[in-house]
């Protein structure tokens, strides 16, 4: 849980970088474009994608942070104006979790005496220091990992012969997705096999569909 803030953004950014850039490269290459055109498209996808991920994460997580702040402000006001009702509300939460009523009231009183806002934030609102929104962290993490992910298929474009470009990018992208799925699962304590299959399947589907579109439009233009 301590890793969830940056881990989600990191996995999302790297996965999107690999899939979107790899798929775009495959689609452009399938349209019979030359290496330079493919490389330009790939670099453009990297830059635009990294900026888009950073902006999207920042806006999204900022909205979450604003919501959390509004909830805490409201809770702070209620604690100042109706503390007894807030105590009963907290005790009710503990009762629903299996604590006997009298003990729940005692616990609620002690928790509020120690840190009333913290107790309500954690137990009523589900907000804690571990899970609270960090917009800047999410934006930077997703942009950096998107760039790293997008760099793998771009490197393949530079290193392999033109005739092998599509299979090389597909293999490199899928290999990176498998590694990403395994690492993300390990860091998050989730089943590795399921994560690897999930990212591998959707990555392959994205590249297959994009290749089909590129081949279709390349043939039509030609």
């Amino acid at each position: 849980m301590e890793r969830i803030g940056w881990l989600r953004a990191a996995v999302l950014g790297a996965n999107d970088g690999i899939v979107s850039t790899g798929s775009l490269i495959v689609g452009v290459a399938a349209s019979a474009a030359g290496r330079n055109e493919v490389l330009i498209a790939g670099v453009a996808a990297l830059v635009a994608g990294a900026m888009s991920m950073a902006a999207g994460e920042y806006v999204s997580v900022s909205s979450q942070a604003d919501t959390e702040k509004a909830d805490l402000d409201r809770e702070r006001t209620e604690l100042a104006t109706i503390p007894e009702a807030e105590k009963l509300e907290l005790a009710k939460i503990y009762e629903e979790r299996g604590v006997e009523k009298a003990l729940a009231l005692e616990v609620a009183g002690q928790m509020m005496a120690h840190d009333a806002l913290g107790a309500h934030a954690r137990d009523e609102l589900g907000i804690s220091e571990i899970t609270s929104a960090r917009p800047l962290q999410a934006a930077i993490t997703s942009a950096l990992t998107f760039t790293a992910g997008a760099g793998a298929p771009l490197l393949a474009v530079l290193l392999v012969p033109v005739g092998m470009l599509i299979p090389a990018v597909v293999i490199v992208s899928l290999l990176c997705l498998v590694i990403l799925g395994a690492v993300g699962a390990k860091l998050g304590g989730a089943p590795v096999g399921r994560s690897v299959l999930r990212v591998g399947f959707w990555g392959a589907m994205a590249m297959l569909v994009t290749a089909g579109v590129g081949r279709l439009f390349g043939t039509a233009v030609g």
Side-chain angles (χ1 to χ4, degrees), residues 1 3 6-7 11 178-196 198:
M1 287 299 294
R3 304 186 186 104
W6 63 265
L7 181 59
V11 171
V178 166
I179 294 171
L180 173 66
V183 171
K186 279 288 186 181
L187 288 173
V192 173
R194 184 187 305 169
S195 178
V196 167
R198 184 167 56 230

Side-chain angles (χ1 to χ4, degrees), residues 7-39:
L7 181 59
R8 180 196 64 82
V11 171
L12 179 62
N15 183 83
D16 199 23
I18 297 166
V19 174
S20 62
T21 307
S23 298
L24 180 65
I25 289 172
V26 169
V28 174
S31 69
R35 187 195 300 271
N36 287 341
E37 288 82 0
V38 173
L39 189 59

Side-chain angles (χ1 to χ4, degrees), residues 20-94:
S20 62
T21 307
S23 298
L24 180 65
I25 289 172
V26 169
V28 174
S31 69
R35 187 195 300 271
N36 287 341
E37 288 82 0
V38 173
L39 189 59
I40 291 170
V43 171
L46 185 154
V47 175
M51 294 303 297
S52 176
M53 286 295 297
E57 282 289 329
Y58 188 82
V59 170
S60 174
V61 181
S62 291
S63 296
Q64 179 187 339
D66 290 343
T67 300
E68 290 178 358
K69 183 178 182 302
D71 285 343
L72 290 173
D73 288 343
R74 184 178 65 251
E75 200 65 37
R76 191 177 287 108
T77 300
E78 291 174 350
L79 285 168
T81 55
I82 47 171
E84 192 60 32
E86 288 297 294
K87 177 183 175 181
L88 292 175
E89 186 177 37
L90 192 60
K92 184 66 175 177
I93 292 171
Y94 296 147

